[in-house]
Amino acid sequence: MRSRRETFDDVVIDVAERARGYLGNRYAAVEFAVEEVPPTDPAPWEEQAAPLGRLVPVGGAVGHRIVVYRRPIETRARDAAEVSVIVREVVAEQVAALLGVPTSEIDL
C-alpha cells in the first residue's frame, strides 16, 4: 500500500519525464522537486496566494529547479485524477516559463 505522499511523488516523476522532451539538451540539468508547502515568503513576482509550483532560476552552482507543492494541490483537488491534472498544469506552466513560450505549447 502506497501513501498519499508516495503516490503524489509518482505523479510528479511521471509528469517530469514527459516534460524532459520539451526541455531538450539545453535544460537537461533541470531538477524537479516536491515540497509539502511553499515558503511563507513568496517571490515578488508570484501571487500572494499559496502557489502550486515554482520555477527556481539558476543561481551559482545550482541548476534550474521546478518545485511542485503537494499540500496546496491536494487541497484543491477533489480526487486522485484531479491531482494528476493539476500537477500536469503546474509543471507545464513552469516549463513554459523557463522556455519563454505560451503554456498552450506544452502538452504533458
Side-chain angles (χ1 to χ4, degrees), residues 62-79:
V62 179
H64 295 293
R65 174 177 274 190
I66 294 174
V67 181
V68 179
Y69 298 112
R70 185 176 74 83
R71 290 180 127 186
I73 290 174
E74 288 180 339
T75 299
R76 292 189 177 133
R78 289 173 290 205
D79 55 29

Side-chain angles (χ1 to χ4, degrees), residues 25-87:
N25 291 334
R26 181 174 181 197
Y27 294 107
V30 169
E31 294 180 357
F32 290 86
V34 174
E35 292 183 12
E36 291 298 304
V37 295
T40 56
D41 58 337
W45 63 86
E46 294 177 324
E47 293 180 30
Q48 297 306 306
L52 303 179
R54 175 181 279 174
L55 171 63
V56 181
V58 70
V62 179
H64 295 293
R65 174 177 274 190
I66 294 174
V67 181
V68 179
Y69 298 112
R70 185 176 74 83
R71 290 180 127 186
I73 290 174
E74 288 180 339
T75 299
R76 292 189 177 133
R78 289 173 290 205
D79 55 29
E82 194 168 10
V83 166
S84 295
V85 169
I86 295 171
V87 168

